[in-house]
Amino acid sequence: MTTKVTLIPGDGIGPGITDATVRILEAAGADLSWDWQLAGMAAVAKHGDPMPEQTLESIRRTRLALKGPLETPVGGGYRSVNVALRKTFDLYANVRPAHTIRPGGRFENVDIVLIRENTEGLYVGIEHYIPVDGDPKAAAESVALVTRAGCERIVRYAFEYAVSHRRKKVTLVHKANILKFSSGLFLEVGREVAKEYAGRVECDDRIVDACAMQLVMKPESFDVIVTTNLFGDILSDEISGLVGGLGLAPGANIGAHAALFEAVHGTAPDIAGKGIANPGALLLAACMMLDHIGDTARADRIRRAFATVIREGKTLTRDLGGTANTDQLTDAIIAAL
Ligand code: NAD
């Protein structure tokens, strides 16, 4: 049966890598029908709104979206549409797998899945300036809101993921030594949930700064990592750097009623419009979407074709040290299918 998917090409390099991804999925015979929608700057230009109602309505209908990166103005301007989409659809689990595809890099045996809480913590958007002595921005305050229920469902998601993907260990990453309340609650709840999986999945915990260091010293010692929003955001970019950079890092945002798949990277304004972006991260995100709808065999076939091209090393985009453009890499992947 054809699966309907909301497709949001996004901003910057988004449209180019989306076209490439759609071409590869179609070449692989994926039975998907696309409902093209806008968000981000592209939607501001057309509808005067970064998150138009018709885009939300489409996701409500399909409950499945593949999304290119969206531009977020730094400092002022509208709030992040990515964060808003995750909140609107309560996409609480952000799943970011990273494993070594190309030998010869700094690390050979990285195979880490980072699971980041997506709706709470410092990203809840409760912040304000505090005026003092006529300076309207004398101080600024951001609230890290963490709930027992939110911690429980993300840690449980991580353990269930470990069980269903035959993973051995879940590491709880926190800063409970300093943030005794918000991070302390996460660690306390995490340890409680871990007891239910004793004997099936190992559990340990790490302070986030030590974890960041160990990731670059001994990345092979990590398996599944679960952590709160901000730490997960930072560590997942670090982890993608261990396996060849952002061009290879996909992400899934999963909720009880909808799922949204995207690349970890942003709009890459420095290379936008040049036709040289690596479509790999969005393609691997699309493979996670195929897994999600039960078409794992096709997802594996696309992943194998992609890995073959990357390992051969003849047709690589610049971020991977080659000279190929987006179209050439896309053609090579289709030829390898
Ligand atoms: P970025 O990820 O866009 O770029 C960082 C670096 O990685 C740049 O040098 C870029 O050229 C390179 N890069 C990223 N993706 C690449 C690809 N597919 N192929 C080749 N090179 C690639 O990060 P940034 O510059 O900090 O952010 C730019 C914009 O993207 C901002 O507006 C930010 O808010 C937004 N952003 C969106 C998302 C999202 O939509 N999920 C995620 C992160 C950042």
Side-chain angles (χ1 to χ4, degrees), residues 98 235-249 264:
L235 292 182
S236 59
D237 272 29
E238 181 187 358
I239 292 168
S240 70
L242 303 176
V243 297
L246 286 170
L248 299 173
V264 168

PDB file of all heavy atoms in Angstrom, residues 98 235-249 264:
ATOM      1  N   ALA A  98      24.879   6.840  14.545  1.00  0.00           N
ATOM      2  CA  ALA A  98      26.112   7.186  13.827  1.00  0.00           C
ATOM      3  C   ALA A  98      27.029   5.982  13.849  1.00  0.00           C
ATOM      4  O   ALA A  98      27.337   5.450  14.917  1.00  0.00           O
ATOM      5  CB  ALA A  98      26.804   8.363  14.509  1.00  0.00           C
ATOM      6  N   LEU A 235      26.101  16.774  21.884  1.00  0.00           N
ATOM      7  CA  LEU A 235      26.817  15.503  21.717  1.00  0.00           C
ATOM      8  C   LEU A 235      26.538  14.854  20.369  1.00  0.00           C
ATOM      9  O   LEU A 235      27.411  14.194  19.794  1.00  0.00           O
ATOM     10  CB  LEU A 235      26.448  14.522  22.849  1.00  0.00           C
ATOM     11  CG  LEU A 235      26.925  14.904  24.250  1.00  0.00           C
ATOM     12  CD1 LEU A 235      26.526  13.817  25.245  1.00  0.00           C
ATOM     13  CD2 LEU A 235      28.437  15.122  24.300  1.00  0.00           C
ATOM     14  N   SER A 236      25.313  15.045  19.824  1.00  0.00           N
ATOM     15  CA  SER A 236      25.025  14.368  18.553  1.00  0.00           C
ATOM     16  C   SER A 236      25.850  14.970  17.420  1.00  0.00           C
ATOM     17  O   SER A 236      26.283  14.259  16.520  1.00  0.00           O
ATOM     18  CB  SER A 236      23.532  14.386  18.233  1.00  0.00           C
ATOM     19  OG  SER A 236      23.068  15.698  18.161  1.00  0.00           O
ATOM     20  N   ASP A 237      26.112  16.281  17.457  1.00  0.00           N
ATOM     21  CA  ASP A 237      27.011  16.856  16.439  1.00  0.00           C
ATOM     22  C   ASP A 237      28.431  16.336  16.637  1.00  0.00           C
ATOM     23  O   ASP A 237      29.133  16.032  15.673  1.00  0.00           O
ATOM     24  CB  ASP A 237      27.010  18.389  16.524  1.00  0.00           C
ATOM     25  CG  ASP A 237      25.902  19.012  15.685  1.00  0.00           C
ATOM     26  OD1 ASP A 237      24.860  18.348  15.500  1.00  0.00           O
ATOM     27  OD2 ASP A 237      26.067  20.152  15.214  1.00  0.00           O
ATOM     28  N   GLU A 238      28.846  16.222  17.894  1.00  0.00           N
ATOM     29  CA  GLU A 238      30.188  15.688  18.161  1.00  0.00           C
ATOM     30  C   GLU A 238      30.300  14.265  17.607  1.00  0.00           C
ATOM     31  O   GLU A 238      31.269  13.919  16.938  1.00  0.00           O
ATOM     32  CB  GLU A 238      30.478  15.686  19.676  1.00  0.00           C
ATOM     33  CG  GLU A 238      31.878  15.171  19.991  1.00  0.00           C
ATOM     34  CD  GLU A 238      32.156  15.001  21.480  1.00  0.00           C
ATOM     35  OE1 GLU A 238      31.279  15.311  22.313  1.00  0.00           O
ATOM     36  OE2 GLU A 238      33.263  14.531  21.801  1.00  0.00           O
ATOM     37  N   ILE A 239      29.263  13.458  17.875  1.00  0.00           N
ATOM     38  CA  ILE A 239      29.292  12.058  17.431  1.00  0.00           C
ATOM     39  C   ILE A 239      29.305  11.980  15.907  1.00  0.00           C
ATOM     40  O   ILE A 239      30.014  11.155  15.326  1.00  0.00           O
ATOM     41  CB  ILE A 239      28.088  11.290  18.030  1.00  0.00           C
ATOM     42  CG1 ILE A 239      28.266  11.168  19.549  1.00  0.00           C
ATOM     43  CG2 ILE A 239      27.952   9.905  17.401  1.00  0.00           C
ATOM     44  CD1 ILE A 239      27.029  10.697  20.299  1.00  0.00           C
ATOM     45  N   SER A 240      28.552  12.877  15.233  1.00  0.00           N
ATOM     46  CA  SER A 240      28.565  12.820  13.767  1.00  0.00           C
ATOM     47  C   SER A 240      29.964  13.138  13.244  1.00  0.00           C
ATOM     48  O   SER A 240      30.394  12.615  12.221  1.00  0.00           O
ATOM     49  CB  SER A 240      27.498  13.749  13.172  1.00  0.00           C
ATOM     50  OG  SER A 240      27.858  15.088  13.362  1.00  0.00           O
ATOM     51  N   GLY A 241      30.705  13.981  13.989  1.00  0.00           N
ATOM     52  CA  GLY A 241      32.088  14.287  13.603  1.00  0.00           C
ATOM     53  C   GLY A 241      33.004  13.077  13.713  1.00  0.00           C
ATOM     54  O   GLY A 241      34.024  12.990  13.034  1.00  0.00           O
ATOM     55  N   LEU A 242      32.651  12.104  14.562  1.00  0.00           N
ATOM     56  CA  LEU A 242      33.484  10.901  14.724  1.00  0.00           C
ATOM     57  C   LEU A 242      33.389   9.990  13.513  1.00  0.00           C
ATOM     58  O   LEU A 242      34.254   9.150  13.290  1.00  0.00           O
ATOM     59  CB  LEU A 242      33.038  10.096  15.961  1.00  0.00           C
ATOM     60  CG  LEU A 242      33.026  10.804  17.319  1.00  0.00           C
ATOM     61  CD1 LEU A 242      32.463   9.882  18.385  1.00  0.00           C
ATOM     62  CD2 LEU A 242      34.440  11.242  17.693  1.00  0.00           C
ATOM     63  N   VAL A 243      32.318  10.128  12.745  1.00  0.00           N
ATOM     64  CA  VAL A 243      32.089   9.176  11.644  1.00  0.00           C
ATOM     65  C   VAL A 243      32.082   9.859  10.276  1.00  0.00           C
ATOM     66  O   VAL A 243      31.537   9.331   9.323  1.00  0.00           O
ATOM     67  CB  VAL A 243      30.772   8.375  11.831  1.00  0.00           C
ATOM     68  CG1 VAL A 243      30.837   7.526  13.080  1.00  0.00           C
ATOM     69  CG2 VAL A 243      29.548   9.286  11.870  1.00  0.00           C
ATOM     70  N   GLY A 244      32.674  11.036  10.184  1.00  0.00           N
ATOM     71  CA  GLY A 244      32.795  11.643   8.859  1.00  0.00           C
ATOM     72  C   GLY A 244      31.995  12.901   8.676  1.00  0.00           C
ATOM     73  O   GLY A 244      31.893  13.423   7.568  1.00  0.00           O
ATOM     74  N   GLY A 245      31.379  13.412   9.719  1.00  0.00           N
ATOM     75  CA  GLY A 245      30.763  14.728   9.631  1.00  0.00           C
ATOM     76  C   GLY A 245      29.268  14.719   9.462  1.00  0.00           C
ATOM     77  O   GLY A 245      28.620  13.676   9.351  1.00  0.00           O
ATOM     78  N   LEU A 246      28.741  15.946   9.405  1.00  0.00           N
ATOM     79  CA  LEU A 246      27.287  16.142   9.398  1.00  0.00           C
ATOM     80  C   LEU A 246      26.628  15.582   8.144  1.00  0.00           C
ATOM     81  O   LEU A 246      25.446  15.256   8.150  1.00  0.00           O
ATOM     82  CB  LEU A 246      26.985  17.636   9.515  1.00  0.00           C
ATOM     83  CG  LEU A 246      27.193  18.256  10.902  1.00  0.00           C
ATOM     84  CD1 LEU A 246      27.107  19.767  10.822  1.00  0.00           C
ATOM     85  CD2 LEU A 246      26.156  17.721  11.874  1.00  0.00           C
ATOM     86  N   GLY A 247      27.377  15.480   7.055  1.00  0.00           N
ATOM     87  CA  GLY A 247      26.794  14.976   5.805  1.00  0.00           C
ATOM     88  C   GLY A 247      26.380  13.517   5.872  1.00  0.00           C
ATOM     89  O   GLY A 247      25.748  13.001   4.953  1.00  0.00           O
ATOM     90  N   LEU A 248      26.739  12.840   6.968  1.00  0.00           N
ATOM     91  CA  LEU A 248      26.407  11.414   7.096  1.00  0.00           C
ATOM     92  C   LEU A 248      25.494  11.136   8.287  1.00  0.00           C
ATOM     93  O   LEU A 248      25.283   9.978   8.638  1.00  0.00           O
ATOM     94  CB  LEU A 248      27.693  10.583   7.257  1.00  0.00           C
ATOM     95  CG  LEU A 248      28.693  10.642   6.108  1.00  0.00           C
ATOM     96  CD1 LEU A 248      29.972   9.905   6.486  1.00  0.00           C
ATOM     97  CD2 LEU A 248      28.090  10.033   4.852  1.00  0.00           C
ATOM     98  N   ALA A 249      24.954  12.192   8.911  1.00  0.00           N
ATOM     99  CA  ALA A 249      24.243  11.992  10.181  1.00  0.00           C
ATOM    100  C   ALA A 249      22.737  12.213  10.044  1.00  0.00           C
ATOM    101  O   ALA A 249      22.287  13.347   9.901  1.00  0.00           O
ATOM    102  CB  ALA A 249      24.826  12.937  11.233  1.00  0.00           C
ATOM    103  N   VAL A 264      20.700  15.713  10.551  1.00  0.00           N
ATOM    104  CA  VAL A 264      21.096  16.443  11.763  1.00  0.00           C
ATOM    105  C   VAL A 264      21.588  17.854  11.396  1.00  0.00           C
ATOM    106  O   VAL A 264      21.395  18.805  12.147  1.00  0.00           O
ATOM    107  CB  VAL A 264      22.201  15.656  12.515  1.00  0.00           C
ATOM    108  CG1 VAL A 264      22.840  16.498  13.612  1.00  0.00           C
ATOM    109  CG2 VAL A 264      21.622  14.371  13.116  1.00  0.00           C
TER     110      VAL A 264
END
